[in-house]
Amino acid sequence: MSTNNALHVAVLGGDGIGPEVMAPALEVLRKIEATSDLKFRFTEAPAGANHYLATGKSMPDATVRLCDEADAILLGACGLPSVRYPDNTEIMPQVELRFHFDLYAGVRPARLIPGVPSPIVGADRRGIDLVVIRESTEGLFASMGKGVVTDTEARETLLITRKTSERLFEFSFRLAERRKARGRSGGGLTCVDKANVFKAFAFFREMFDEAAKRHPDVKTERLYVDACSALLVKRPWDFDVMVMENMFGDILSDMTAGLIGGMGMAPSADIGDRHAVFQPCHGTAPDIMGQGKANPTAMILSAAMMLDWLADKHGLEGATEACERIERAVDKVYADGIKPMEFGGRNGTADIAKAVLAAL
Ligand code: ATP
């Protein structure tokens, strides 16, 4: 923690709707500061496609240094489809940060907030409250920038290591235990893989089984990713914490975001042993940028996740309370009938931000 016990937060707004949803999240944190014992110091820094256009780099070294020194990192969204590296891939400093700081646990909660429409029949009655943990530094993404393409074939290599998997499973079991202790769930954990076809996933599952023996209180389940996808749309209320390889998590976490109303509702965190980045699941949404239509809920809930992580890391009870206050404020706003443009309503960024601040 930095001077005066203030929590130092690196703020990377990014591109597209990134800065648009970041502004309300910072307002919410400032309101928390004004009404609690918590103190923050925010330092904004550039990263993303616009920075690349201006300088030829996805982010300056100073941004990486700031992220290293800060207590936590808040990120809006980065990248624009029209701005690309010479190999045609997009500018993705958020992915670079995952590798640089070894942020192996991508935490993607999907909780259906009462009042928000879900495409799943019965979800309003049964509720959805699950967490996808996406391994974020290996799997198929370990091949990023290293794939080989010839005239006749293309190859990308998937990587699963013992070192990362063991830490990932330990993190996942611990999260399942914490959720159970808070009365948030039954304390279950599902390993999602394709162990029936690939040796790499059999290895992944074997390490999961070893970790399960160390956590006998957590109810475990093993599912193949294809079967799991079908179950997620049939009975999402039966899932609690789910852990999986990077690419599977990339896909399934967008799907679970869809189950709870859309990308603008889904917060996320990329967590390592020392650092963590908190950002919404969504991207820069170029189709709606600059129009005041973006739903800032995912970014605000990501800021709440940051407080929960800081609470756990530094033993700050006030931060747990602040996280819960933000979640309750968001719940109240939706219970009171706010309807983001994202799902056909009339409320844009400013309305939602104002309502959450008022509810706080
Ligand atoms: P990435 O590859 O970075 O995840 P993407 O282009 O696949 O990005 P998004 O930028 O998340 O996906 O956009 C997908 C769709 O969801 C778009 O139609 C976008 O407008 C919508 N969307 C994303 N985030 C929000 C938000 N916060 N509020 C409203 N709509 C959103």
Side-chain angles (χ1 to χ4, degrees):
M1 236 177 291
S2 53
T3 42
N4 308 328
N5 278 346
L7 293 159
H8 186 198
V9 181
V11 178
L12 281 54
D15 307 301
I17 64 165
E20 298 174 33
V21 294
M22 180 64 81
L26 292 180
E27 275 187 71
V28 163
L29 289 173
R30 287 194 183 103
K31 179 104 185 191
I32 288 289
E33 185 172 41
T35 54
S36 74
D37 290 339
L38 296 173
K39 291 278 163 279
F40 300 110
R41 180 158 67 93
F42 299 110
T43 308
E44 302 203 15
N50 288 315
H51 184 77
Y52 176 80
L53 275 183
T55 66
K57 281 187 86 171
S58 62
M59 64 186 145
D61 296 341
T63 295
V64 180
R65 265 200 310 279
L66 167 73
C67 291
D68 189 17
E69 288 161 14
D71 292 305
I73 304 154
L74 267 186
L75 195 144
C78 293
L80 293 170
S82 55
V83 184
R84 307 228 170 203
Y85 288 120
D87 69 358
N88 209 29
T89 56
E90 277 189 43
I91 317 303
M92 293 185 285
Q94 67 277 31
V95 179
E96 292 167 39
L97 289 173
R98 281 177 208 157
F99 287 107
H100 186 84
F101 293 120
D102 200 13
L103 309 178
Y104 53 86
V107 183
R108 313 275 167 98
R111 181 173 69 92
L112 182 63
I113 294 176
V116 174
S118 168
I120 307 298
V121 177
D124 52 343
R125 220 171 5 92
R126 311 283 307 255
I128 300 174
D129 188 356
L130 57 86
V131 183
V132 168
I133 301 183
R134 163 191 180 183
E135 195 292 312
S136 295
T137 56
E138 314 188 325
L140 197 52
F141 281 70
S143 185
M144 244 176 61
K146 299 179 197 151
V148 178
V149 183
T150 67
D151 275 351
T152 52
E153 63 175 50
R155 281 171 198 263
E156 305 272 0
T157 304
L158 177 143
L159 174 76
I160 304 281
T161 70
R162 177 172 290 282
K163 184 176 173 218
T164 297
S165 306
E166 284 183 346
R167 286 185 297 163
L168 178 78
F169 292 139
E170 221 31 61
F171 181 95
S172 308
F173 276 99
R174 192 159 169 260
L175 180 65
E177 286 163 351
R178 276 183 75 206
R179 278 166 61 86
K180 189 178 177 184
R182 281 186 186 181
R184 186 82 186 245
S185 71
L189 178 62
T190 307
C191 177
V192 182
D193 58 44
K194 193 72 186 167
N196 53 336
V197 177
F198 298 102
K199 286 181 189 173
F201 287 115
F203 177 56
F204 190 72
R205 190 180 280 205
E206 229 175 81
M207 290 182 285
F208 177 80
D209 291 342
E210 284 165 19
K213 286 188 197 134
R214 293 191 291 274
H215 298 271
D217 292 346
V218 175
K219 204 166 63 205
T220 57
E221 186 184 22
R222 293 130 190 94
L223 286 175
Y224 300 131
V225 65
D226 41 352
C228 177
S229 308
L231 290 175
L232 264 176
V233 293
K234 273 194 186 160
R235 46 176 185 83
W237 37 83
D238 282 350
F239 287 91
D240 189 348
V241 182
M242 313 167 71
V243 59
M244 63 201 75
E245 175 270 342
N246 208 339
M247 184 72 155
F248 291 164
D250 184 31
I251 299 165
L252 286 197
S253 64
D254 267 30
M255 189 172 109
T256 54
L259 300 181
I260 57 154
M263 301 303 291
M265 298 302 298
S268 89
D270 290 320
I271 299 178
D273 291 335
R274 282 188 50 228
H275 299 85
V277 175
F278 299 84
Q279 66 174 121
C281 278
H282 62 75
T284 54
D287 53 333
I288 56 163
M289 70 180 178
Q291 299 167 42
K293 291 180 178 172
N295 179 0
T297 307
M299 184 75 237
I300 291 170
L301 291 175
S302 302
M305 283 178 79
M306 176 185 83
L307 295 177
D308 191 41
W309 179 76
L310 286 165
D312 191 38
K313 192 157 184 250
H314 300 290
L316 297 173
E317 248 173 59
T320 309
E321 230 164 77
C323 162
E324 286 168 359
R325 268 181 69 202
I326 296 174
E327 287 180 350
R328 278 200 305 273
V330 168
D331 283 13
K332 178 174 184 335
V333 161
Y334 282 94
D336 288 350
I338 207 139
K339 201 156 180 222
M341 292 176 181
E342 183 183 17
F343 32 93
R346 302 164 62 93
N347 299 118
T349 318
D351 290 346
I352 300 167
K354 200 170 145 204
V356 174
L357 284 168
L360 261 181

